[in-house]
Amino acid sequence: MTAWKDVEEAVPEFAERVRKIFDAHKHKTIATLRANGAPRISGIEAEFADGELTFGSMTGARKGADLHRDPRFALHSPSVDPPEGNPAGWAGDAKIAGRAVPAGAVEGDAEGELFRADIEEVVLTGLNAEATMLVIETWTPGKGLWRVERK
């Protein structure tokens, strides 16, 4: 199992940039798979704490049922537009994909189930300093970190 702390240890600067984008806003988006194999997109909150990435599902929510049937997920950071007149100032988008591992009940006022992320891929998409190329940085446990630039 690959926890968030493993990403932080392997590529600390990259992990810090990814986390900053995820932590910039409260609401994220998660994709799960329905019983028929079609994707389902849901709003979600996620938390980085104690070396883990966790997220919850309210009791009876379809995303929780999806994750129990097929634990694969893709989590997308909040997405914001580049600053007006300064495309190079765009922080970018971050994505984390993997498998959801049940981790017990959600603590607090809400009823639901907590999941830990078994991370298979982390992606950071942004622009180069001149804002002339799209830069895609990807990290996986087996391959490490690599970068692709596209016009």
Side-chain angles (χ1 to χ4, degrees), residues 99-133:
R99 296 181 182 274
V101 178
V106 171
E107 295 180 8
D109 296 336
E111 289 186 19
E113 184 173 12
L114 189 66
F115 293 90
R116 288 183 300 126
D118 178 4
I119 298 170
E120 297 176 354
E121 180 181 69
V122 182
V123 178
L124 182 59
T125 304
L127 299 174
N128 67 353
E130 299 78 27
T132 58
M133 297 182 77

PDB file of all heavy atoms in Angstrom, residues 99-133:
ATOM      1  N   ARG A  99      -6.755   3.234  -5.048  1.00  0.00           N
ATOM      2  CA  ARG A  99      -7.803   2.366  -4.525  1.00  0.00           C
ATOM      3  C   ARG A  99      -8.173   2.830  -3.124  1.00  0.00           C
ATOM      4  O   ARG A  99      -7.297   3.150  -2.328  1.00  0.00           O
ATOM      5  CB  ARG A  99      -7.334   0.920  -4.505  1.00  0.00           C
ATOM      6  CG  ARG A  99      -7.071   0.408  -5.908  1.00  0.00           C
ATOM      7  CD  ARG A  99      -6.619  -1.039  -5.934  1.00  0.00           C
ATOM      8  NE  ARG A  99      -6.335  -1.431  -7.301  1.00  0.00           N
ATOM      9  CZ  ARG A  99      -7.225  -1.894  -8.171  1.00  0.00           C
ATOM     10  NH1 ARG A  99      -8.471  -2.039  -7.800  1.00  0.00           N
ATOM     11  NH2 ARG A  99      -6.876  -2.226  -9.396  1.00  0.00           N
ATOM     12  N   ALA A 100      -9.469   2.843  -2.848  1.00  0.00           N
ATOM     13  CA  ALA A 100      -9.975   3.259  -1.542  1.00  0.00           C
ATOM     14  C   ALA A 100      -9.994   2.059  -0.601  1.00  0.00           C
ATOM     15  O   ALA A 100     -10.519   1.002  -0.953  1.00  0.00           O
ATOM     16  CB  ALA A 100     -11.375   3.846  -1.684  1.00  0.00           C
ATOM     17  N   VAL A 101      -9.421   2.251   0.574  1.00  0.00           N
ATOM     18  CA  VAL A 101      -9.361   1.196   1.585  1.00  0.00           C
ATOM     19  C   VAL A 101     -10.255   1.604   2.751  1.00  0.00           C
ATOM     20  O   VAL A 101     -10.017   2.661   3.363  1.00  0.00           O
ATOM     21  CB  VAL A 101      -7.903   1.001   2.063  1.00  0.00           C
ATOM     22  CG1 VAL A 101      -7.836  -0.056   3.147  1.00  0.00           C
ATOM     23  CG2 VAL A 101      -6.984   0.666   0.893  1.00  0.00           C
ATOM     24  N   PRO A 102     -11.289   0.817   3.067  1.00  0.00           N
ATOM     25  CA  PRO A 102     -12.146   1.166   4.206  1.00  0.00           C
ATOM     26  C   PRO A 102     -11.321   1.344   5.487  1.00  0.00           C
ATOM     27  O   PRO A 102     -10.422   0.556   5.778  1.00  0.00           O
ATOM     28  CB  PRO A 102     -13.095  -0.035   4.328  1.00  0.00           C
ATOM     29  CG  PRO A 102     -13.136  -0.605   2.944  1.00  0.00           C
ATOM     30  CD  PRO A 102     -11.732  -0.416   2.408  1.00  0.00           C
ATOM     31  N   ALA A 103     -11.634   2.415   6.246  1.00  0.00           N
ATOM     32  CA  ALA A 103     -10.843   2.745   7.434  1.00  0.00           C
ATOM     33  C   ALA A 103     -11.716   3.041   8.646  1.00  0.00           C
ATOM     34  O   ALA A 103     -11.302   3.750   9.547  1.00  0.00           O
ATOM     35  CB  ALA A 103      -9.931   3.929   7.120  1.00  0.00           C
ATOM     36  N   GLY A 104     -12.948   2.526   8.656  1.00  0.00           N
ATOM     37  CA  GLY A 104     -13.810   2.711   9.818  1.00  0.00           C
ATOM     38  C   GLY A 104     -14.818   3.827   9.636  1.00  0.00           C
ATOM     39  O   GLY A 104     -15.007   4.353   8.542  1.00  0.00           O
ATOM     40  N   ALA A 105     -15.437   4.184  10.731  1.00  0.00           N
ATOM     41  CA  ALA A 105     -16.495   5.202  10.716  1.00  0.00           C
ATOM     42  C   ALA A 105     -15.892   6.602  10.678  1.00  0.00           C
ATOM     43  O   ALA A 105     -14.796   6.845  11.192  1.00  0.00           O
ATOM     44  CB  ALA A 105     -17.373   5.056  11.951  1.00  0.00           C
ATOM     45  N   VAL A 106     -16.633   7.514  10.069  1.00  0.00           N
ATOM     46  CA  VAL A 106     -16.272   8.930  10.084  1.00  0.00           C
ATOM     47  C   VAL A 106     -16.460   9.434  11.500  1.00  0.00           C
ATOM     48  O   VAL A 106     -17.470   9.122  12.149  1.00  0.00           O
ATOM     49  CB  VAL A 106     -17.160   9.735   9.103  1.00  0.00           C
ATOM     50  CG1 VAL A 106     -16.943  11.227   9.266  1.00  0.00           C
ATOM     51  CG2 VAL A 106     -16.896   9.307   7.672  1.00  0.00           C
ATOM     52  N   GLU A 107     -15.504  10.184  12.002  1.00  0.00           N
ATOM     53  CA  GLU A 107     -15.621  10.752  13.346  1.00  0.00           C
ATOM     54  C   GLU A 107     -16.296  12.115  13.269  1.00  0.00           C
ATOM     55  O   GLU A 107     -16.135  12.837  12.300  1.00  0.00           O
ATOM     56  CB  GLU A 107     -14.245  10.884  13.979  1.00  0.00           C
ATOM     57  CG  GLU A 107     -13.576   9.545  14.230  1.00  0.00           C
ATOM     58  CD  GLU A 107     -12.202   9.683  14.855  1.00  0.00           C
ATOM     59  OE1 GLU A 107     -11.838  10.811  15.231  1.00  0.00           O
ATOM     60  OE2 GLU A 107     -11.516   8.664  14.955  1.00  0.00           O
ATOM     61  N   GLY A 108     -17.060  12.457  14.275  1.00  0.00           N
ATOM     62  CA  GLY A 108     -17.708  13.759  14.324  1.00  0.00           C
ATOM     63  C   GLY A 108     -19.217  13.640  14.202  1.00  0.00           C
ATOM     64  O   GLY A 108     -19.801  12.597  14.494  1.00  0.00           O
ATOM     65  N   ASP A 109     -19.846  14.723  13.738  1.00  0.00           N
ATOM     66  CA  ASP A 109     -21.301  14.796  13.681  1.00  0.00           C
ATOM     67  C   ASP A 109     -21.911  13.990  12.537  1.00  0.00           C
ATOM     68  O   ASP A 109     -23.024  13.510  12.641  1.00  0.00           O
ATOM     69  CB  ASP A 109     -21.747  16.256  13.557  1.00  0.00           C
ATOM     70  CG  ASP A 109     -21.365  17.075  14.783  1.00  0.00           C
ATOM     71  OD1 ASP A 109     -21.194  16.466  15.855  1.00  0.00           O
ATOM     72  OD2 ASP A 109     -21.223  18.296  14.659  1.00  0.00           O
ATOM     73  N   ALA A 110     -21.200  13.862  11.430  1.00  0.00           N
ATOM     74  CA  ALA A 110     -21.748  13.170  10.268  1.00  0.00           C
ATOM     75  C   ALA A 110     -21.616  11.659  10.431  1.00  0.00           C
ATOM     76  O   ALA A 110     -20.661  11.168  11.015  1.00  0.00           O
ATOM     77  CB  ALA A 110     -21.010  13.618   9.006  1.00  0.00           C
ATOM     78  N   GLU A 111     -22.583  10.940   9.903  1.00  0.00           N
ATOM     79  CA  GLU A 111     -22.504   9.483   9.890  1.00  0.00           C
ATOM     80  C   GLU A 111     -22.007   9.039   8.532  1.00  0.00           C
ATOM     81  O   GLU A 111     -22.467   9.524   7.506  1.00  0.00           O
ATOM     82  CB  GLU A 111     -23.880   8.866  10.151  1.00  0.00           C
ATOM     83  CG  GLU A 111     -24.357   9.048  11.577  1.00  0.00           C
ATOM     84  CD  GLU A 111     -25.648   8.298  11.828  1.00  0.00           C
ATOM     85  OE1 GLU A 111     -25.979   7.384  11.050  1.00  0.00           O
ATOM     86  OE2 GLU A 111     -26.329   8.639  12.799  1.00  0.00           O
ATOM     87  N   GLY A 112     -21.063   8.124   8.546  1.00  0.00           N
ATOM     88  CA  GLY A 112     -20.556   7.636   7.283  1.00  0.00           C
ATOM     89  C   GLY A 112     -19.317   6.798   7.489  1.00  0.00           C
ATOM     90  O   GLY A 112     -18.965   6.427   8.617  1.00  0.00           O
ATOM     91  N   GLU A 113     -18.666   6.521   6.380  1.00  0.00           N
ATOM     92  CA  GLU A 113     -17.491   5.670   6.399  1.00  0.00           C
ATOM     93  C   GLU A 113     -16.278   6.431   5.884  1.00  0.00           C
ATOM     94  O   GLU A 113     -16.371   7.196   4.928  1.00  0.00           O
ATOM     95  CB  GLU A 113     -17.736   4.447   5.525  1.00  0.00           C
ATOM     96  CG  GLU A 113     -16.596   3.465   5.560  1.00  0.00           C
ATOM     97  CD  GLU A 113     -16.905   2.173   4.840  1.00  0.00           C
ATOM     98  OE1 GLU A 113     -17.918   2.110   4.127  1.00  0.00           O
ATOM     99  OE2 GLU A 113     -16.117   1.233   4.989  1.00  0.00           O
ATOM    100  N   LEU A 114     -15.154   6.185   6.513  1.00  0.00           N
ATOM    101  CA  LEU A 114     -13.891   6.803   6.128  1.00  0.00           C
ATOM    102  C   LEU A 114     -13.117   5.828   5.243  1.00  0.00           C
ATOM    103  O   LEU A 114     -13.140   4.618   5.458  1.00  0.00           O
ATOM    104  CB  LEU A 114     -13.082   7.117   7.384  1.00  0.00           C
ATOM    105  CG  LEU A 114     -11.820   7.954   7.205  1.00  0.00           C
ATOM    106  CD1 LEU A 114     -12.187   9.364   6.743  1.00  0.00           C
ATOM    107  CD2 LEU A 114     -11.050   8.011   8.513  1.00  0.00           C
ATOM    108  N   PHE A 115     -12.429   6.379   4.251  1.00  0.00           N
ATOM    109  CA  PHE A 115     -11.565   5.597   3.367  1.00  0.00           C
ATOM    110  C   PHE A 115     -10.170   6.206   3.368  1.00  0.00           C
ATOM    111  O   PHE A 115     -10.018   7.425   3.421  1.00  0.00           O
ATOM    112  CB  PHE A 115     -12.098   5.611   1.929  1.00  0.00           C
ATOM    113  CG  PHE A 115     -13.401   4.891   1.758  1.00  0.00           C
ATOM    114  CD1 PHE A 115     -14.608   5.553   1.910  1.00  0.00           C
ATOM    115  CD2 PHE A 115     -13.419   3.539   1.443  1.00  0.00           C
ATOM    116  CE1 PHE A 115     -15.812   4.893   1.744  1.00  0.00           C
ATOM    117  CE2 PHE A 115     -14.625   2.861   1.278  1.00  0.00           C
ATOM    118  CZ  PHE A 115     -15.821   3.546   1.426  1.00  0.00           C
ATOM    119  N   ARG A 116      -9.157   5.358   3.314  1.00  0.00           N
ATOM    120  CA  ARG A 116      -7.767   5.777   3.114  1.00  0.00           C
ATOM    121  C   ARG A 116      -7.412   5.513   1.665  1.00  0.00           C
ATOM    122  O   ARG A 116      -7.879   4.542   1.068  1.00  0.00           O
ATOM    123  CB  ARG A 116      -6.820   4.965   4.006  1.00  0.00           C
ATOM    124  CG  ARG A 116      -6.896   5.305   5.457  1.00  0.00           C
ATOM    125  CD  ARG A 116      -5.886   4.518   6.292  1.00  0.00           C
ATOM    126  NE  ARG A 116      -6.128   3.080   6.168  1.00  0.00           N
ATOM    127  CZ  ARG A 116      -5.213   2.189   5.809  1.00  0.00           C
ATOM    128  NH1 ARG A 116      -3.981   2.535   5.545  1.00  0.00           N
ATOM    129  NH2 ARG A 116      -5.524   0.912   5.730  1.00  0.00           N
ATOM    130  N   ALA A 117      -6.551   6.352   1.118  1.00  0.00           N
ATOM    131  CA  ALA A 117      -6.126   6.192  -0.272  1.00  0.00           C
ATOM    132  C   ALA A 117      -4.883   5.311  -0.359  1.00  0.00           C
ATOM    133  O   ALA A 117      -3.881   5.588   0.301  1.00  0.00           O
ATOM    134  CB  ALA A 117      -5.835   7.551  -0.889  1.00  0.00           C
ATOM    135  N   ASP A 118      -4.976   4.276  -1.157  1.00  0.00           N
ATOM    136  CA  ASP A 118      -3.819   3.492  -1.578  1.00  0.00           C
ATOM    137  C   ASP A 118      -3.443   4.090  -2.929  1.00  0.00           C
ATOM    138  O   ASP A 118      -4.107   3.840  -3.938  1.00  0.00           O
ATOM    139  CB  ASP A 118      -4.187   2.019  -1.696  1.00  0.00           C
ATOM    140  CG  ASP A 118      -3.037   1.155  -2.188  1.00  0.00           C
ATOM    141  OD1 ASP A 118      -1.913   1.682  -2.374  1.00  0.00           O
ATOM    142  OD2 ASP A 118      -3.258  -0.050  -2.409  1.00  0.00           O
ATOM    143  N   ILE A 119      -2.410   4.914  -2.940  1.00  0.00           N
ATOM    144  CA  ILE A 119      -2.108   5.775  -4.081  1.00  0.00           C
ATOM    145  C   ILE A 119      -1.345   5.020  -5.169  1.00  0.00           C
ATOM    146  O   ILE A 119      -0.327   4.387  -4.909  1.00  0.00           O
ATOM    147  CB  ILE A 119      -1.320   7.011  -3.615  1.00  0.00           C
ATOM    148  CG1 ILE A 119      -2.183   7.810  -2.634  1.00  0.00           C
ATOM    149  CG2 ILE A 119      -0.876   7.863  -4.801  1.00  0.00           C
ATOM    150  CD1 ILE A 119      -1.448   8.910  -1.912  1.00  0.00           C
ATOM    151  N   GLU A 120      -1.866   5.130  -6.393  1.00  0.00           N
ATOM    152  CA  GLU A 120      -1.227   4.512  -7.554  1.00  0.00           C
ATOM    153  C   GLU A 120      -0.627   5.542  -8.501  1.00  0.00           C
ATOM    154  O   GLU A 120       0.282   5.215  -9.260  1.00  0.00           O
ATOM    155  CB  GLU A 120      -2.231   3.632  -8.294  1.00  0.00           C
ATOM    156  CG  GLU A 120      -2.712   2.471  -7.441  1.00  0.00           C
ATOM    157  CD  GLU A 120      -3.784   1.626  -8.096  1.00  0.00           C
ATOM    158  OE1 GLU A 120      -4.263   1.986  -9.193  1.00  0.00           O
ATOM    159  OE2 GLU A 120      -4.159   0.602  -7.495  1.00  0.00           O
ATOM    160  N   GLU A 121      -1.142   6.781  -8.448  1.00  0.00           N
ATOM    161  CA  GLU A 121      -0.649   7.812  -9.363  1.00  0.00           C
ATOM    162  C   GLU A 121      -0.990   9.193  -8.819  1.00  0.00           C
ATOM    163  O   GLU A 121      -2.080   9.405  -8.287  1.00  0.00           O
ATOM    164  CB  GLU A 121      -1.293   7.637 -10.744  1.00  0.00           C
ATOM    165  CG  GLU A 121      -0.853   8.655 -11.773  1.00  0.00           C
ATOM    166  CD  GLU A 121      -1.546   8.448 -13.103  1.00  0.00           C
ATOM    167  OE1 GLU A 121      -2.771   8.699 -13.169  1.00  0.00           O
ATOM    168  OE2 GLU A 121      -0.864   8.042 -14.055  1.00  0.00           O
ATOM    169  N   VAL A 122      -0.044  10.114  -8.948  1.00  0.00           N
ATOM    170  CA  VAL A 122      -0.257  11.516  -8.593  1.00  0.00           C
ATOM    171  C   VAL A 122       0.156  12.342  -9.803  1.00  0.00           C
ATOM    172  O   VAL A 122       1.253  12.139 -10.348  1.00  0.00           O
ATOM    173  CB  VAL A 122       0.584  11.932  -7.363  1.00  0.00           C
ATOM    174  CG1 VAL A 122       0.305  13.377  -6.988  1.00  0.00           C
ATOM    175  CG2 VAL A 122       0.321  11.005  -6.179  1.00  0.00           C
ATOM    176  N   VAL A 123      -0.712  13.266 -10.223  1.00  0.00           N
ATOM    177  CA  VAL A 123      -0.452  14.073 -11.418  1.00  0.00           C
ATOM    178  C   VAL A 123      -0.643  15.543 -11.085  1.00  0.00           C
ATOM    179  O   VAL A 123      -1.624  15.923 -10.442  1.00  0.00           O
ATOM    180  CB  VAL A 123      -1.390  13.678 -12.586  1.00  0.00           C
ATOM    181  CG1 VAL A 123      -1.140  14.548 -13.814  1.00  0.00           C
ATOM    182  CG2 VAL A 123      -1.241  12.201 -12.923  1.00  0.00           C
ATOM    183  N   LEU A 124       0.285  16.353 -11.541  1.00  0.00           N
ATOM    184  CA  LEU A 124       0.207  17.803 -11.405  1.00  0.00           C
ATOM    185  C   LEU A 124       0.290  18.389 -12.810  1.00  0.00           C
ATOM    186  O   LEU A 124       1.238  18.126 -13.544  1.00  0.00           O
ATOM    187  CB  LEU A 124       1.355  18.316 -10.539  1.00  0.00           C
ATOM    188  CG  LEU A 124       1.416  19.798 -10.236  1.00  0.00           C
ATOM    189  CD1 LEU A 124       0.163  20.260  -9.516  1.00  0.00           C
ATOM    190  CD2 LEU A 124       2.638  20.102  -9.398  1.00  0.00           C
ATOM    191  N   THR A 125      -0.730  19.160 -13.188  1.00  0.00           N
ATOM    192  CA  THR A 125      -0.786  19.778 -14.514  1.00  0.00           C
ATOM    193  C   THR A 125      -0.727  21.286 -14.347  1.00  0.00           C
ATOM    194  O   THR A 125      -1.481  21.856 -13.557  1.00  0.00           O
ATOM    195  CB  THR A 125      -2.090  19.390 -15.240  1.00  0.00           C
ATOM    196  OG1 THR A 125      -2.177  17.971 -15.296  1.00  0.00           O
ATOM    197  CG2 THR A 125      -2.124  19.953 -16.640  1.00  0.00           C
ATOM    198  N   GLY A 126       0.164  21.927 -15.067  1.00  0.00           N
ATOM    199  CA  GLY A 126       0.302  23.373 -14.996  1.00  0.00           C
ATOM    200  C   GLY A 126       0.901  23.913 -16.281  1.00  0.00           C
ATOM    201  O   GLY A 126       0.911  23.227 -17.310  1.00  0.00           O
ATOM    202  N   LEU A 127       1.424  25.109 -16.205  1.00  0.00           N
ATOM    203  CA  LEU A 127       2.068  25.752 -17.355  1.00  0.00           C
ATOM    204  C   LEU A 127       3.528  26.007 -17.032  1.00  0.00           C
ATOM    205  O   LEU A 127       3.897  26.171 -15.869  1.00  0.00           O
ATOM    206  CB  LEU A 127       1.378  27.079 -17.678  1.00  0.00           C
ATOM    207  CG  LEU A 127      -0.099  27.006 -18.066  1.00  0.00           C
ATOM    208  CD1 LEU A 127      -0.672  28.412 -18.206  1.00  0.00           C
ATOM    209  CD2 LEU A 127      -0.284  26.212 -19.349  1.00  0.00           C
ATOM    210  N   ASN A 128       4.341  26.076 -18.073  1.00  0.00           N
ATOM    211  CA  ASN A 128       5.740  26.452 -17.848  1.00  0.00           C
ATOM    212  C   ASN A 128       5.802  27.937 -17.484  1.00  0.00           C
ATOM    213  O   ASN A 128       4.781  28.645 -17.528  1.00  0.00           O
ATOM    214  CB  ASN A 128       6.613  26.100 -19.051  1.00  0.00           C
ATOM    215  CG  ASN A 128       6.288  26.924 -20.293  1.00  0.00           C
ATOM    216  OD1 ASN A 128       5.328  27.693 -20.326  1.00  0.00           O
ATOM    217  ND2 ASN A 128       7.081  26.748 -21.336  1.00  0.00           N
ATOM    218  N   ALA A 129       6.982  28.423 -17.107  1.00  0.00           N
ATOM    219  CA  ALA A 129       7.143  29.800 -16.623  1.00  0.00           C
ATOM    220  C   ALA A 129       6.708  30.836 -17.653  1.00  0.00           C
ATOM    221  O   ALA A 129       6.226  31.910 -17.294  1.00  0.00           O
ATOM    222  CB  ALA A 129       8.589  30.042 -16.205  1.00  0.00           C
ATOM    223  N   GLU A 130       6.858  30.515 -18.933  1.00  0.00           N
ATOM    224  CA  GLU A 130       6.471  31.447 -19.991  1.00  0.00           C
ATOM    225  C   GLU A 130       5.003  31.306 -20.386  1.00  0.00           C
ATOM    226  O   GLU A 130       4.512  32.057 -21.226  1.00  0.00           O
ATOM    227  CB  GLU A 130       7.350  31.224 -21.239  1.00  0.00           C
ATOM    228  CG  GLU A 130       8.838  31.456 -20.994  1.00  0.00           C
ATOM    229  CD  GLU A 130       9.510  30.277 -20.283  1.00  0.00           C
ATOM    230  OE1 GLU A 130       9.034  29.121 -20.406  1.00  0.00           O
ATOM    231  OE2 GLU A 130      10.502  30.518 -19.578  1.00  0.00           O
ATOM    232  N   ALA A 131       4.314  30.317 -19.824  1.00  0.00           N
ATOM    233  CA  ALA A 131       2.916  30.013 -20.147  1.00  0.00           C
ATOM    234  C   ALA A 131       2.743  29.680 -21.617  1.00  0.00           C
ATOM    235  O   ALA A 131       1.722  29.995 -22.223  1.00  0.00           O
ATOM    236  CB  ALA A 131       1.995  31.152 -19.724  1.00  0.00           C
ATOM    237  N   THR A 132       3.748  29.020 -22.193  1.00  0.00           N
ATOM    238  CA  THR A 132       3.686  28.634 -23.602  1.00  0.00           C
ATOM    239  C   THR A 132       3.470  27.133 -23.787  1.00  0.00           C
ATOM    240  O   THR A 132       3.192  26.689 -24.889  1.00  0.00           O
ATOM    241  CB  THR A 132       4.986  29.035 -24.327  1.00  0.00           C
ATOM    242  OG1 THR A 132       6.091  28.413 -23.664  1.00  0.00           O
ATOM    243  CG2 THR A 132       5.152  30.553 -24.340  1.00  0.00           C
ATOM    244  N   MET A 133       3.637  26.372 -22.702  1.00  0.00           N
ATOM    245  CA  MET A 133       3.489  24.928 -22.804  1.00  0.00           C
ATOM    246  C   MET A 133       2.759  24.385 -21.579  1.00  0.00           C
ATOM    247  O   MET A 133       2.933  24.892 -20.470  1.00  0.00           O
ATOM    248  CB  MET A 133       4.860  24.258 -22.919  1.00  0.00           C
ATOM    249  CG  MET A 133       5.628  24.650 -24.164  1.00  0.00           C
ATOM    250  SD  MET A 133       7.199  23.792 -24.294  1.00  0.00           S
ATOM    251  CE  MET A 133       6.650  22.190 -24.836  1.00  0.00           C
TER     252      MET A 133
END
